[in-house]
């Protein structure tokens, strides 16, 4: 099986430049590489590492409103992030792609062969520029390898996001029209990956323009929303992908994240690994370690938005705030048990409740990317493939674009959001559009949204795509970045301190919480039971709310500036020193 993210050590592709004018090094002639179809194919493998690396593909939501972690990212700590510390203004990947596109012109090769590989290159150029626009907004558009003589471009101003987005759409249209592959083992780009990326990019831009009035681009938002809907529909009606249902409601979604080979009926692009080639990831280590990873813990406000199995909001229950962990996990959308450790979850043949001894702060411990065998926990030994694009996202892109346009109908709902909920065992509300606003969802997350349809599409997106790297960008495009600072990092309900608690009701005590002003719990605690200090001198980061819910990091405030600067990253100061024509992003 081809593995696009394995260590592709091809000397002719060792492009390490960070500036727009540095020349790529090569040890073979261009004719050797660009004069044959096999050479073009080999060269094209170098593009894949530009998307993400195998080491971080499962860490996409490392910074999100719904993830409590052991150390705050500097980006949301007052005064800790600046143009002097900013990164990401790197152009080596683009130069590599542009070099290929310009030089892929050998007359001995057919136009269809050349256009196929140029299409792949333009797909990756579009992805590169999409990431740059999301991070920095306006950026220079460069579609050829630059030399020292290109001073006007090298030292010019940034181009507007309007131009960049038009060019991205052109690249993706060319890629869709010319990439020959219609299927793969999940690790290679196909024409459906290209049109799928178009739906993602267009949805981002359409909603960003709609909600960021300060850009003065709201009048063009619907243009991109329609492009998103049309691109997604193309995948839905003509493509080979569908929702994976092979394992039933209890495992069909999680199977996509723990399988060694990409589950290609739904997964459109993935990072794959191989123990035979000693190319593995460390997902288990990152998600289960007390010291290596961030001890990432989902928070109660997010968990509360996961529906009951009958399709009603969990927060409609009169006593939802005082339900203990076992009770709150009962009769919920099956994705809850595929996302976090819930009662009944087992590892290595034994029950495995949330690990308060050395991992979770809130009680909601993720399992989406972790293998159930604990032998994977202590190093980089995982071989499970990590999806980067899947059909579920396409359905959500379609539903959201149509909802924002005001054209989503019952049929659209049933084949998108309804289908995702049915896949997860939800029995109600899957056939017709919602007509009632969930006041908890609205008040907690989206106070500016008055449409029950848009609210429910956003609920579905945050549940279905949780931990897959979309959340921070979603908050930015919806202009809800303040959730990064304001969403309470609260956890499970604790009925009382100094009480032995059996979290999963398996007959074994799991944890006791006690007053951190005391040296130890005020009761006798059996050996091996997690003892968690609440507040006081022992643990001022692990506290408890007035309603007896765990709360993490309240003592260290998170910051989202009122001037909105964090919707874009600052241009690194050293880049502006090199090119004073690069104006800084607002308020940085």
């Amino acid at each position: 099986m081809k593995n696009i993210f394995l260590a592709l050590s091809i000397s002719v592709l060792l492009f390490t430049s960070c500036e727009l004018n540095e020349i790529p090094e090569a040890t073979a002639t261009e004719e050797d590489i660009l004069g044959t179809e096999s050479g073009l194919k080999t060269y094209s493998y170098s593009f894949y590492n530009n998307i993400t690396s195998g080491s971080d593909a499962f860490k996409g939501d490392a910074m999100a409103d719904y993830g409590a972690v052991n150390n705050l990212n500097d980006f949301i700590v007052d005064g800790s992030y600046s143009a002097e510390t900013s990164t990401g203004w790197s152009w080596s990947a683009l130069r590599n792609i542009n070099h290929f596109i310009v030089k892929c012109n050998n007359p001995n090769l057919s136009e269809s062969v050349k256009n196929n590989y140029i299409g792949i290159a333009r797909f990756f150029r579009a992805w590169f520029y999409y990431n740059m626009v999301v991070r920095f907004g306006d950026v220079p558009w460069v579609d050829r390898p630059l030399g020292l003589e290109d001073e006007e471009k090298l030292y010019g101003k940034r181009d507007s996001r309007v131009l960049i987005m038009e060019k991205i759409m052109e690249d993706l249209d060319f890629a869709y029209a010319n990439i020959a592959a219609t299927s793969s083992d999940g690790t290679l780009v196909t024409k459906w990956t290209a049109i799928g990326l178009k739906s993602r990019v267009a949805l981002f831009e359409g909603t960003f323009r709609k909600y960021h009035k300060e850009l003065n681009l709201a009048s063009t938002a619907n243009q991109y929303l329609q492009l998103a809907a049309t691109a997604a529909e193309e995948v839905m009606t003509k493509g080979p992908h569908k929702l994976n249902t092979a394992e039933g409601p209890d495992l069909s979604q999680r199977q996509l994240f723990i399988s060694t080979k990409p589950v290609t009926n739904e997964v459109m692009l993935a990072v794959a690994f191989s123990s035979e080639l000693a190319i593995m990831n460390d997902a288990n280590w990152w998600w289960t370690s007390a010291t290596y990873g961030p001890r990432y813990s989902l928070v109660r406000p997010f968990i509360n938005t996961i529906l009951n199995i009958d399709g009603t909001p969990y927060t409609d229950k009169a006593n939802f705030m005082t339900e203990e962990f076992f009770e709150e996990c009962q009769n919920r959308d099956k994705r809850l048990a595929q996302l976090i450790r819930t009662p009944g979850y087992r590892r290595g043949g034994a029950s495995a409740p949330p690990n308060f001894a050395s991992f979770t702060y809130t009680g909601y411990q993720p399992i989406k990317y972790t293998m159930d065998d604990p032998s994977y926990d202590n190093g980089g030994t995982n071989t499970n493939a990590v999806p980067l694009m899947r059909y579920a996202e396409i359905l959500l892109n379609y539903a959201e674009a149509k909802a924002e346009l005001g054209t989503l109908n019952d049929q659209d709902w049933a084949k998108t959001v309804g289908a995702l909920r049915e896949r997860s065992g939800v029995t109600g509300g899957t056939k017709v559009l919602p007509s009632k606003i969930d006041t908890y969802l609205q008040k907690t997350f989206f106070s500016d949204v008055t449409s029950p349809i848009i609210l429910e599409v956003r609920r579905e997106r945050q549940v279905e795509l949780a931990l897959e790297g979309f959340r921070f960008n979603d908050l930015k495009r919806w202009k809800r970045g303040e959730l990064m600072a304001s969403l309470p990092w609260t956890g499970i309900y604790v009925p009382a301190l100094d009480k032995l608690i059996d979290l999963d009701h398996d007959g074994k005590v799991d944890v006791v919480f006690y007053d951190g002003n005391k040296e130890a719990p005020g009761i006798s605690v059996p050996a091996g039971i997690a003892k968690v200090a609440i507040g006081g001198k022992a643990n001022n980061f692990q506290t408890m709310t007035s309603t007896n819910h765990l709360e993490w990091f309240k003592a260290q405030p998170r910051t989202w500036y009122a001037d909105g600067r964090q919707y874009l990253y600052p241009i690194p100061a050293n880049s502006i020193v090199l090119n004073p024509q690069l104006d800084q992003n607002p308020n940085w």
Side-chain angles (χ1 to χ4, degrees):
M1 181 182 73
K2 299 180 184 71
N3 187 336
I4 64 171
F5 291 100
L6 296 185
L8 296 170
S9 54
I10 306 169
S11 61
V12 298
L13 305 178
L14 293 179
F15 297 104
T16 58
S17 64
C18 291
E19 298 301 326
L20 291 169
N21 65 328
E22 294 184 17
I23 306 300
E25 299 174 5
T27 58
T29 67
E30 287 185 345
E31 185 176 356
D32 292 334
I33 301 302
L34 299 172
T36 66
E37 184 173 358
S38 61
L40 298 181
K41 183 177 183 179
T42 300
Y43 195 127
S44 72
Y45 289 158
S46 71
F47 304 146
Y48 287 84
N49 288 324
N50 299 335
I51 296 180
T52 186
S53 69
S55 64
D56 63 13
F58 52 85
K59 303 175 186 177
D61 273 354
M63 185 174 68
D65 59 325
Y66 54 45
V69 292
N70 53 10
N71 286 293
L72 297 183
N73 190 295
D74 284 349
F75 196 67
I76 56 172
V77 176
D78 188 22
S80 295
Y81 201 91
S82 68
E84 284 66 33
T85 60
S86 185
T87 60
W89 195 261
S90 176
W91 301 89
S92 56
L94 176 64
R95 181 169 180 79
N96 182 25
I97 293 167
N98 282 340
H99 184 83
F100 178 89
I101 293 171
V102 169
K103 296 294 184 178
C104 185
N105 56 12
N106 191 297
N108 295 324
L109 295 173
S110 70
E111 291 302 308
S112 61
V113 167
K114 287 184 287 190
N115 285 341
N116 170 58
Y117 288 102
I118 291 173
I120 293 171
R122 291 182 69 170
F123 167 87
F124 284 105
R125 184 167 69 184
W127 198 315
F128 171 87
Y129 264 112
Y130 166 60
N131 288 334
M132 293 296 278
V133 170
V134 168
R135 189 172 181 89
F136 297 112
D138 297 349
V139 291
W141 172 255
V142 179
D143 58 3
R144 56 189 172 83
L146 300 181
L148 293 173
E149 69 279 4
D150 295 303
E151 291 190 9
E152 183 177 353
K153 178 58 72 173
L154 289 170
Y155 300 105
K157 294 181 178 181
R158 294 189 281 169
D159 292 303
S160 73
R161 68 185 299 138
V162 173
L163 172 68
I164 303 301
M165 280 296 166
E166 290 173 355
K167 295 297 185 181
I168 289 174
M169 293 297 110
E170 290 175 7
D171 274 352
L172 291 174
D173 286 342
F174 183 93
Y176 179 56
N178 289 280
I179 293 175
T182 58
S183 63
S184 79
D185 61 3
T187 66
L188 294 174
V189 168
T190 69
K191 65 185 293 133
W192 305 112
T193 321
I195 198 72
L197 182 60
K198 183 178 180 180
S199 78
R200 179 187 294 183
V201 176
L203 178 65
F204 179 91
E205 188 63 10
T207 48
F208 200 94
R209 293 186 184 195
K210 177 176 181 176
Y211 291 106
H212 287 263
K213 307 294 187 184
E214 71 278 6
L215 294 179
N216 295 317
L217 294 173
S219 63
T220 60
N222 283 359
Q223 170 190 339
Y224 278 90
L225 292 171
Q226 187 58 59
L227 288 174
T230 301
E233 188 174 30
E234 190 81 355
V235 179
M236 293 161 61
T237 57
K238 298 180 181 179
H241 299 285
K242 62 182 181 180
L243 291 179
N244 176 54
T245 58
E247 299 296 322
D250 293 309
L251 192 59
S252 288
Q253 193 212 45
R254 187 163 177 252
Q255 183 192 27
L256 304 172
F257 300 88
I258 61 174
S259 297
T260 299
K261 295 182 179 180
V263 182
T264 55
N265 57 350
E266 179 169 341
V267 175
M268 301 169 67
L269 185 63
V271 187
F273 303 89
S274 169
S275 57
E276 293 179 358
L277 296 175
I279 306 296
M280 294 169 281
N281 70 69
D282 55 8
N284 270 52
W285 196 19
W286 199 80
W287 286 102
T288 63
S289 172
T291 55
Y292 173 62
R295 297 180 65 173
Y296 198 103
S297 305
L298 290 166
V299 301
R300 180 127 190 180
F302 166 73
I303 297 296
N304 284 343
T305 66
I306 299 177
L307 297 171
N308 293 320
I309 197 69
D310 64 3
T312 60
Y314 169 70
T315 51
D316 280 357
K317 298 175 70 173
N319 65 334
F320 81 92
M321 285 292 287
T322 56
E323 282 198 327
E324 295 184 44
F325 179 71
F326 180 86
E327 283 72 26
E328 71 168 307
C329 293
Q330 305 306 306
N331 301 312
R332 302 285 292 276
D333 179 329
K334 300 290 187 180
R335 283 173 293 192
L336 178 63
Q338 297 173 73
L339 179 63
I340 63 169
R341 295 188 181 191
T342 55
Y345 176 65
R346 300 178 68 82
R347 305 194 80 222
S351 61
N355 180 9
F356 277 100
S358 61
F359 190 86
T360 190
Y361 298 116
T362 65
Y364 306 116
Q365 183 172 350
I367 61 169
K368 194 166 190 174
Y369 294 97
T370 59
M371 306 300 288
D372 296 336
D373 186 340
S375 66
Y376 292 99
D377 290 355
N378 298 312
T381 58
N382 283 57
T383 56
N384 47 315
V386 180
L388 300 177
M389 182 185 293
R390 57 191 182 95
Y391 185 68
E393 182 207 342
I394 304 302
L395 298 182
L396 290 166
N397 293 347
Y398 179 81
E400 185 178 348
K402 296 269 284 184
E404 291 285 359
L405 289 166
T407 59
L408 191 72
N409 59 35
D410 288 344
Q411 183 180 6
D412 296 329
W413 177 266
K415 67 186 180 184
T416 56
V417 175
L420 287 164
R421 292 182 178 178
E422 285 185 346
R423 191 258 291 272
S424 304
V426 175
T427 58
T430 61
K431 301 300 183 184
V432 297
L433 291 169
S435 58
K436 180 183 176 182
I437 284 179
D438 178 351
T439 55
Y440 178 89
L441 179 65
Q442 182 188 52
K443 180 180 178 181
T444 307
F445 288 94
F446 309 117
S447 57
D448 60 330
V449 176
T450 58
S451 163
I453 299 171
I454 292 176
L455 277 173
E456 289 301 321
V457 169
R458 289 190 185 183
R459 182 208 303 272
E460 191 62 22
R461 186 174 180 89
Q462 69 185 34
V463 172
E464 176 65 30
L465 301 181
L467 306 182
E468 295 182 46
F470 294 95
R471 183 61 173 181
F472 187 42
N473 286 348
D474 285 348
L475 294 181
K476 289 197 291 185
R477 64 189 179 88
W478 295 328
K479 208 173 184 180
R480 291 295 292 153
E482 61 267 28
L483 286 170
M484 295 293 296
S486 64
L487 190 70
W489 281 1
T490 52
I492 66 171
Y493 175 73
V494 177
L497 300 181
D498 288 338
K499 177 183 177 181
L500 300 177
I501 299 177
D502 177 3
L503 290 167
D504 56 359
H505 287 200
D506 68 343
K508 301 176 183 177
V509 174
D510 302 304
V511 64
V512 60
F513 301 96
Y514 69 96
D515 186 346
N517 288 305
K518 300 178 180 179
E519 296 297 327
I523 60 173
S524 176
V525 180
I529 303 304
K531 294 179 283 188
V532 180
I534 302 296
K537 60 184 179 181
N539 192 346
N540 67 335
F541 287 133
Q542 184 76 78
T543 55
M544 196 156 66
T545 69
S546 60
T547 56
N548 283 27
H549 291 86
L550 296 178
E551 186 164 21
W552 178 250
F553 252 157
K554 187 176 183 179
Q556 185 171 350
R558 292 165 275 144
T559 298
W560 192 266
Y561 295 107
D563 59 23
R565 72 186 72 174
Q566 288 153 293
Y567 287 111
L568 297 174
Y569 280 75
I571 308 299
N574 60 347
S575 296
I576 294 179
V577 170
L578 291 172
N579 179 11
Q581 292 271 52
L582 295 174
D583 57 311
Q584 187 53 272
N585 278 328
N587 302 309
W588 285 106

